[in-house]
Amino acid sequence: MTDFAATRRAFHLPKGVTYLDGNSLGPMPVAARDRVARMMGDEWSEMLITGWNKAGWYVQPRKVGDRIARLIGAGAGEVVMGDTLSIKVFQALSAALALRPGRRVILSDSGNFPSDLYVAEGLARAVGAELRVVAPEEVEAAIADDLAVLMLTEVDYRTGRRHDMAALTAKAHGAGALALWDLAHSAGAVDVDLTGADADFAVGCTYKYLNGGPGAPAFIWTHPRHADAAQPILQGWMGHDAPFAFDLGYRPAAGVERMRVGTPPVIALTALDAALDVWDGVSLSDLRARSIELSEAFIAGVEAQCPDVALNSPRDPGRRGSQVSFRHPQGYAVMQALIAAGVIGDFRAPDVLRFGFAPLYNDLGDVDRAVETLARILRDETWNDEKFHQKAAVT
Amino acid sequence: MTDFAATRRAFHLPKGVTYLDGNSLGPMPVAARDRVARMMGDEWSEMLITGWNKAGWYVQPRKVGDRIARLIGAGAGEVVMGDTLSIKVFQALSAALALRPGRRVILSDSGNFPSDLYVAEGLARAVGAELRVVAPEEVEAAIADDLAVLMLTEVDYRTGRRHDMAALTAKAHGAGALALWDLAHSAGAVDVDLTGADADFAVGCTYKYLNGGPGAPAFIWTHPRHADAAQPILQGWMGHDAPFAFDLGYRPAAGVERMRVGTPPVIALTALDAALDVWDGVSLSDLRARSIELSEAFIAGVEAQCPDVALNSPRDPGRRGSQVSFRHPQGYAVMQALIAAGVIGDFRAPDVLRFGFAPLYNDLGDVDRAVETLARILRDETWNDEKFHQKAAVT
């Protein structure tokens, strides 16, 4: 059994705070700060340029990728780190399109994170493809024989709705298309199984449930059947077969390493590597069971004590990720009042209160505090206070 | 007068090491480690998600960009940070191409850093453009009326040869083309003046002469006349006019902020921000004068004491950046012997010994030690030792 009391102790959680926003930014694993300080003091400072070899900076994107592979049902050597999620979406989508010559349709849904749609829009404009966006529940029916790529985020960033990755991938394959999955709200949250689902490409970020820190690097996975054929539009020297030959012409590296672009972000990868230590010994089935236990307890508590809010997530935990959202007409102010009371979730327009349950550090005590605080705020209409209606630049 | 003894003290320079490879990776400014530890301990740990507003993470790419703007002859609000240099090349090049509809030729030279050429090759393949690569000395003559974009790295990464940015930009404009400049070996090394040269786009990295750490984020500059018209293929939510409206359709932000893509790398930007403190009070004309003083002294010393090597850089300092290279038939082994003796430069195939002079921390003592050590190694043929012929993975 995974020891979740031990994994909770691995994080710095501020006193008096119940943190239910790890689906936006995970808290700091206590080891991360010292690890980064050591990297800066012992490696950068002392090794200087020789750190690329001596400290292993050069191979870090692949080594950290291997650690993530286990959490998403991928094999060693199949995942590489770098850049940001949007950039990895661009690479995977352009590579997938190129693998389906003669087809130009990209299908996505309105539950996808907007940045993925912006990336697809920019790419489609450039290469003459067409982006079709349907409602999440219409995706299955919209998979047609003209489809090149099905591009979905597995878990909806607002509702927590989880797509059936295996079924939709199979349907896409049946139509002759490829499937690209964004795991932003899945990796470290649910029991992802890319190999079992037979997906083609996957991408994700590491600052949510993987706790790599604000703006931590992204990952990209290519199924081995495509890894040596994939040719993304965005290609750079670190993805070259021989970067240090400094050839004038590009020749892609074998496998997923061709998805590397520029010089890797060593400091950020070091923080992430420390954050991944917490995952050693965590079983994905235990993770999934704990996630369901926490979210089910939260829904039951809120529905028993907070009559003014409406569940905005699927009721069936099998169809949810690790987050739960509720709607309230004064959602923004309610969330500000909650944050002021030490319960941190977040708000998504127009009226969504969003709560993430990170199995590594959230527990039933967090659930109880969140339910009680929300109930009190709604009962006392604390949110009516003018100060809770002022909008900040970033919410 | 800039106090270069004070700026030198701002860096951690390992004992016994003469570091002449800041053109590849700058050393650590001593303040950087504590600054990052504070960001992790006080901001990420304690503020959690609220750090995006409270700690200013969200506006950091623009604020750090403003600090770099001064070093490259750009105005406030014209530079934004993020991603890597290769990715910023891709954005700038795609935006420049789109501003010259009907023209499809990208002109570059064989002295450009290969990654820029790989990026251009991938983009050209996708959008049906043509990449022409000529020798550096042939660039001027190759600027023709079918040209869409002139894409050059100002300072050659091997020879240190500096292009005449103003003249080549004017020639490109005369042919109806735009000019994109890569400042990887210029920013923080020479007196760059983008506004004076009337350039159109510029990009650069910050881990060389700007000392932001291994894999530090890149910068991108758009001339104000293009900033609201530029439409890069690669677009993401942080470049949206209203990222937190989560609209399904993309609407670019005003100005250079549209060049932002995904979530910014906060830890890395914090290290860079600390590194930029060292630049406060440094005048670019003093910087250039010091760079020339150091490189001229090095060339004079080597030519006087090392008859076996041949200068591989322009002799006229006005045509050089802040690095100098020499050729030797056993260049690889000579550089390994130099490194073993505490003088760190680097090697570029087939026979180039490369030495960077960073005015902020290198001094005439470094020059003397490097000259004497090189002279001794060549005189004693120390490089003959078998151990200096073993190749490492990354050189």
Side-chain angles (χ1 to χ4, degrees):
Chain A
M1 278 295 290
T2 304
D3 182 355
F4 288 111
T7 58
R8 181 177 167 97
R9 285 193 299 273
F11 290 89
H12 178 90
L13 298 167
K15 284 199 206 327
V17 167
T18 299
Y19 193 58
L20 302 179
D21 208 9
N23 51 317
S24 189
L25 176 67
M28 191 183 79
V30 285
R33 185 169 56 165
D34 286 349
R35 188 80 67 86
V36 168
R38 273 209 307 279
M39 178 263 142
M40 295 179 75
D42 299 346
E43 299 179 8
W44 179 15
S45 289
E46 288 293 328
M47 298 180 189
L48 295 162
I49 190 66
T50 67
W52 288 106
N53 279 313
K54 275 192 205 161
W57 300 341
Y58 182 63
V59 295
Q60 203 183 22
R62 199 181 63 214
K63 287 179 77 172
V64 173
D66 279 347
R67 304 189 74 182
I68 287 175
R70 181 183 80 83
L71 305 177
I72 56 175
E78 294 176 10
V79 175
V80 75
M81 311 301 302
D83 311 312
T84 67
L85 176 50
S86 295
I87 287 161
K88 291 314 185 196
V89 169
F90 185 89
Q91 283 191 293
L93 185 59
S94 67
L97 270 178
L99 288 170
R100 285 296 174 269
R103 295 190 177 207
R104 308 312 293 161
V105 177
I106 302 161
L107 177 65
S108 191
D109 72 27
S110 56
N112 206 340
F113 189 69
S115 200
D116 293 29
L117 301 178
Y118 304 160
V119 164
E121 190 185 316
L123 177 65
R125 188 177 66 230
V127 301
E130 179 198 342
L131 172 63
R132 279 183 203 154
V133 180
V134 300
E137 59 276 16
E138 291 164 4
V139 167
E140 192 179 344
I143 296 173
D145 283 348
D146 63 349
L147 187 61
V149 188
L150 175 65
M151 176 187 86
L152 295 171
T153 293
E154 186 189 16
V155 174
D156 188 300
Y157 75 105
R158 292 158 311 181
T159 64
R161 185 265 315 125
R162 185 181 187 185
H163 274 309
D164 185 334
M165 186 190 286
L168 289 173
T169 297
K171 182 109 199 255
H173 287 175
L178 298 179
L180 159 58
W181 290 94
D182 178 340
L183 305 178
H185 290 271
S186 309
V190 297
D191 47 341
V192 182
D193 185 4
L194 289 170
T195 304
D198 201 30
D200 299 289
F201 292 90
V203 293
C205 67
T206 62
Y207 45 77
K208 298 180 186 289
Y209 294 94
L210 298 176
N211 314 299
F219 62 84
I220 185 166
W221 170 81
T222 306
H223 190 288
R225 70 174 161 263
H226 301 305
D228 287 328
Q231 209 177 13
I233 291 177
L234 179 55
Q235 60 191 25
W237 74 309
M238 284 287 158
H240 194 282
D241 187 46
F244 293 90
F246 300 103
D247 294 333
L248 293 183
Y250 183 73
R251 195 174 69 241
V256 76
E257 295 235 33
R258 63 183 56 191
M259 294 297 189
R260 292 177 66 165
V261 186
T263 304
V266 178
I267 300 177
L269 280 168
T270 301
L272 174 60
D273 195 39
L276 291 173
D277 286 354
V278 186
W279 290 93
D280 289 344
V282 173
S283 113
L284 289 196
S285 58
D286 290 349
L287 184 84
R288 181 65 172 145
R290 174 125 173 134
S291 158
I292 290 174
E293 178 190 19
L294 295 171
S295 58
E296 286 287 275
F298 184 69
I299 292 172
V302 170
E303 294 197 325
Q305 298 187 46
C306 309
D308 300 345
V309 298
L311 183 64
N312 190 44
S313 297
R315 187 163 297 279
D316 174 4
R319 299 176 60 87
R320 282 199 316 263
S322 203
Q323 72 193 57
V324 171
S325 68
F326 285 92
R327 306 178 69 169
H328 185 281
Q330 293 293 333
Y332 180 82
V334 170
M335 183 50 73
Q336 296 309 306
L338 263 173
I339 292 170
V343 175
I344 302 185
D346 61 20
F347 170 76
R348 287 293 175 258
D351 58 2
V352 176
L353 302 164
R354 197 172 70 147
F355 303 91
F357 294 90
L360 283 199
Y361 52 84
N362 287 132
D363 62 15
L364 288 169
D366 290 336
V367 170
D368 290 346
R369 277 187 296 279
V371 169
E372 284 159 21
T373 309
L374 179 60
R376 193 181 67 238
I377 284 167
L378 294 173
R379 190 179 60 235
D380 300 348
E381 296 192 2
T382 311
W383 54 266
N384 250 326
D385 191 312
E386 195 187 339
K387 70 174 179 249
F388 297 134
H389 293 258
Q390 291 158 5
K391 303 257 169 166
V394 184
T395 55
Chain B
M1 275 296 289
T2 304
D3 182 356
F4 288 111
T7 58
R8 180 176 166 98
R9 285 193 299 272
F11 290 89
H12 178 92
L13 298 167
K15 284 200 207 325
V17 167
T18 299
Y19 194 59
L20 302 178
D21 206 11
N23 51 317
S24 189
L25 175 67
M28 191 182 80
V30 286
R33 186 169 55 164
D34 286 349
R35 188 81 66 85
V36 168
R38 274 211 305 281
M39 178 265 142
M40 294 179 76
D42 299 346
E43 299 179 8
W44 178 14
S45 289
E46 288 293 327
M47 299 180 188
L48 296 161
I49 189 67
T50 67
W52 288 105
N53 280 310
K54 275 192 204 161
W57 299 340
Y58 182 62
V59 295
Q60 203 181 24
R62 200 181 62 216
K63 287 180 75 171
V64 174
D66 280 347
R67 304 189 75 182
I68 287 175
R70 181 182 82 82
L71 305 177
I72 56 176
E78 294 176 10
V79 175
V80 75
M81 311 301 302
D83 311 312
T84 66
L85 176 50
S86 295
I87 287 162
K88 291 315 187 195
V89 169
F90 185 89
Q91 284 191 294
L93 185 58
S94 67
L97 270 178
L99 287 170
R100 286 296 174 267
R103 294 190 176 207
R104 308 313 292 160
V105 176
I106 302 160
L107 177 65
S108 191
D109 72 26
S110 57
N112 205 339
F113 190 68
S115 200
D116 293 30
L117 301 178
Y118 304 161
V119 164
E121 190 186 314
L123 177 65
R125 189 178 64 229
V127 302
E130 179 198 341
L131 171 64
R132 278 184 204 154
V133 180
V134 300
E137 59 276 17
E138 291 164 5
V139 167
E140 192 178 344
I143 295 173
D145 284 349
D146 63 349
L147 187 60
V149 187
L150 176 64
M151 176 186 88
L152 295 171
T153 293
E154 187 189 16
V155 175
D156 188 299
Y157 74 105
R158 291 158 311 181
T159 64
R161 184 265 314 127
R162 185 181 186 184
H163 274 308
D164 185 334
M165 188 190 287
L168 290 173
T169 297
K171 182 108 199 256
H173 287 175
L178 298 178
L180 158 59
W181 290 94
D182 178 339
L183 306 177
H185 290 271
S186 309
V190 298
D191 48 342
V192 181
D193 184 5
L194 289 171
T195 304
D198 200 31
D200 299 289
F201 293 90
V203 294
C205 66
T206 62
Y207 45 77
K208 298 181 186 291
Y209 294 94
L210 298 175
N211 314 299
F219 63 83
I220 184 166
W221 170 81
T222 306
H223 190 287
R225 70 175 161 263
H226 302 305
D228 288 327
Q231 209 178 11
I233 291 177
L234 180 55
Q235 58 191 26
W237 75 308
M238 285 288 157
H240 194 282
D241 188 46
F244 293 91
F246 299 103
D247 295 332
L248 293 183
Y250 183 73
R251 196 173 68 241
V256 76
E257 295 236 31
R258 64 183 57 191
M259 295 297 189
R260 291 177 66 165
V261 187
T263 304
V266 178
I267 300 177
L269 280 168
T270 300
L272 174 59
D273 195 38
L276 291 173
D277 285 354
V278 185
W279 289 94
D280 290 344
V282 173
S283 115
L284 290 195
S285 59
D286 290 349
L287 184 85
R288 181 66 172 144
R290 174 124 173 132
S291 157
I292 291 174
E293 178 190 20
L294 296 171
S295 58
E296 287 287 273
F298 184 70
I299 292 172
V302 171
E303 294 198 325
Q305 298 188 44
C306 309
D308 299 345
V309 297
L311 182 63
N312 189 45
S313 298
R315 188 163 296 278
D316 174 2
R319 300 176 61 86
R320 281 200 314 263
S322 203
Q323 72 193 58
V324 171
S325 66
F326 285 92
R327 305 178 69 169
H328 185 282
Q330 293 293 332
Y332 180 83
V334 170
M335 182 51 71
Q336 296 310 306
L338 264 172
I339 292 171
V343 176
I344 303 186
D346 62 20
F347 170 77
R348 288 291 176 258
D351 57 3
V352 176
L353 302 165
R354 197 171 70 148
F355 303 91
F357 295 90
L360 283 200
Y361 53 83
N362 286 132
D363 61 16
L364 288 169
D366 291 335
V367 170
D368 290 345
R369 276 187 297 278
V371 169
E372 284 159 23
T373 310
L374 178 62
R376 195 181 64 238
I377 285 168
L378 294 173
R379 189 180 61 236
D380 300 349
E381 298 193 3
T382 312
W383 53 265
N384 251 327
D385 192 313
E386 195 187 340
K387 70 173 179 249
F388 297 134
H389 293 259
Q390 289 157 9
K391 302 257 170 168
V394 185
T395 54

